[in-house]
Amino acid sequence: MTCNEVPRVIDAYLDGELSVAATLQAHEHFALYENCRRILESEAALHGLLVQAARAEPVPAELRSQVLRSLPTVGARTHPARRLIARFGLVSGFVGLAVVGWLATERLALHPMTPLAAELASKHLLYGEGAAARSSW
Ligand SMILES: [Zn+2]
């Protein structure tokens, strides 16, 4: 992230709307550049005042229903925390695959296959692939 990009992302950053990667980049940038950190601090203060003012002000019923009507569907936008959880799920899936792969190679190393077993296993894989390809047509 460059200093020129900071004004563009600062609101999303304060609202927690950036992706995890972008949030980390912004975080790193604010740690490195004092000027941008000052901008962040003043924006955060303004942000806090706006949130306070908005909470103190009762929302007119008509405005509320208009806003609610204009929303596509409630919960359609993915919450950052949910994205994080999804990403964690993906990562743990990969870890799981890695463990399965490791266990498989470990087993193969401990019990080398006989040529017959190896042939059967490769045929099984071949048929398995064929079945998967057929089912996806
Ligand atoms: Zn900067």
Side-chain angles (χ1 to χ4, degrees):
M1 181 176 294
T2 65
C3 294
N4 290 336
E5 290 173 301
V6 166
R8 202 159 42 79
V9 299
I10 205 160
D11 281 315
Y13 177 78
L14 287 169
D15 287 331
E17 289 173 344
L18 292 179
S19 70
V20 174
T23 300
L24 290 175
Q25 279 175 7
H27 207 75
E28 199 177 346
H29 189 93
F30 292 128
L32 287 173
Y33 297 93
E34 204 191 337
N35 274 349
C36 289
R37 196 159 58 241
R38 287 215 185 109
I39 296 171
L40 174 69
E41 279 161 11
S42 80
E43 280 290 314
L46 177 65
H47 206 259
L49 286 176
L50 284 174
V51 169
Q52 263 185 346
R55 285 196 181 142
E57 184 95 7
V59 180
E62 178 55 26
L63 175 63
R64 187 187 165 82
S65 59
Q66 266 180 25
V67 168
L68 288 177
R69 270 199 307 273
S70 72
L71 292 175
T73 39
V74 175
R77 225 171 105 207
T78 319
H79 191 271
R82 204 172 284 178
R83 278 204 298 266
L84 191 64
I85 288 165
R87 196 161 295 192
F88 178 75
L90 199 66
V91 169
S92 48
F94 279 124
V95 170
L97 275 178
V99 168
V100 167
W102 176 77
L103 285 175
T105 53
E106 195 77 348
R107 281 182 70 96
L108 287 179
L110 288 174
H111 312 282
M113 278 190 200
T114 63
L116 177 64
E119 195 189 334
L120 286 174
S122 68
K123 274 196 177 139
H124 178 77
L125 282 176
L126 252 169
Y127 296 149
E129 276 170 18
R134 272 195 302 280
S135 69
S136 69
W137 286 348

